[in-house]
Amino acid sequence: MALREIQKFPAPVLKKKTAPVSVFDENLQKLIDDMVETMYAAPGVGLAAPQVGVSKSLAVIDISSRDEKYPLIVLINPCIVRTDGEIEFEEGCLSIPEYTAKVRRSENLIVRAHDREGREFEIDAGGLLAIALQHEIDHLEGLLLIDRISPLKREFFKKRFKKAQKSEK
Ligand code: NI
């Protein structure tokens, strides 16, 4: 296993819709293992393939540090089949360091996906897991949490980002 470099905003790969995974070979297993290791090292509760520069429909989630009953989830080619309710939660993202924002999401949802062996499964999730699933599935669509906030807040984020970049130079 190896750590992969985490892509940060505004890396173009983060804005791209990913391609579905069609081959469940050794390379995919290695990528998954690397992503899991990179997520734990960060540390984070989720990581999507574009965040390590790979534009594929694959993400890993582990919220067990906050809610023990959920083990590691490997999510391949996920799609949301049902949603209900609404919830607002302060989210962060490994690709946007030192930034959090309140994002409105569905409170409950059912997601259909494939596991690392290519078997189809369904998750019926609520609360933090539902939020994590939507955050990671957004990454696979080329969306970041800053695409989910109000235009005003987004402007504020961009100004802050530009200012931070300038002071780094
Ligand atoms: Ni993220």
Side-chain angles (χ1 to χ4, degrees), residues 46 51 92-95 135-136 139 144-145:
Q51 293 183 277
C93 179
L94 293 174
S95 293
H135 181 111
E136 299 312 325
H139 273 301
L144 296 172
L145 69 92

Side-chain angles (χ1 to χ4, degrees), residues 135-148:
H135 181 111
E136 299 312 325
I137 291 170
D138 265 2
H139 273 301
L140 306 179
E141 296 294 321
L143 294 171
L144 296 172
L145 69 92
I146 49 168
D147 298 309
R148 294 285 188 194

Side-chain angles (χ1 to χ4, degrees), residues 9-159:
F9 173 87
V13 68
L14 297 172
K15 294 296 289 173
K16 225 173 114 184
K17 185 177 160 58
T18 58
V21 172
S22 52
V23 184
F24 292 78
D25 61 0
E26 232 169 84
N27 286 336
L28 181 76
Q29 304 307 320
K30 167 126 183 50
L31 172 62
I32 293 167
D33 289 341
D34 287 354
M35 283 173 59
V36 170
E37 197 185 355
T38 304
M39 170 178 71
Y40 288 146
V45 294
L47 189 71
Q51 293 183 277
V52 293
V54 179
S55 195
K56 281 189 179 159
S57 184
L58 158 67
V60 293
I61 294 173
D62 190 337
I63 62 159
S64 60
S65 60
R66 317 237 187 121
D67 195 337
E68 276 177 7
K69 62 179 180 287
Y70 298 109
L72 172 70
I73 297 169
V74 176
L75 210 59
I76 297 173
N77 305 335
C79 66
I80 295 172
V81 293
R82 196 187 305 160
T83 62
D84 77 80
E86 212 175 73
I87 190 170
E88 217 180 34
F89 188 78
E90 188 91 21
E91 293 183 25
C93 179
L94 293 174
S95 293
I96 313 174
E98 287 160 54
Y99 180 78
T100 60
K102 272 197 182 145
V103 181
R104 200 168 295 166
R105 305 275 190 193
S106 299
E107 190 176 9
N108 302 290
L109 77 166
I110 296 176
V111 170
R112 194 173 295 149
H114 289 89
D115 70 10
R116 61 190 302 162
E117 271 86 41
R119 290 175 299 228
E120 194 175 84
F121 68 100
E122 247 180 42
I123 314 175
D124 192 337
L128 186 58
L129 184 58
I131 291 161
L133 283 164
Q134 289 168 87
H135 181 111
E136 299 312 325
I137 291 170
D138 265 2
H139 273 301
L140 306 179
E141 296 294 321
L143 294 171
L144 296 172
L145 69 92
I146 49 168
D147 298 309
R148 294 285 188 194
I149 58 181
S150 71
L152 192 72
K153 278 191 187 161
R154 199 175 310 129
E155 276 315 301
F156 187 73
F157 165 79
K158 282 181 181 161
K159 268 185 199 152

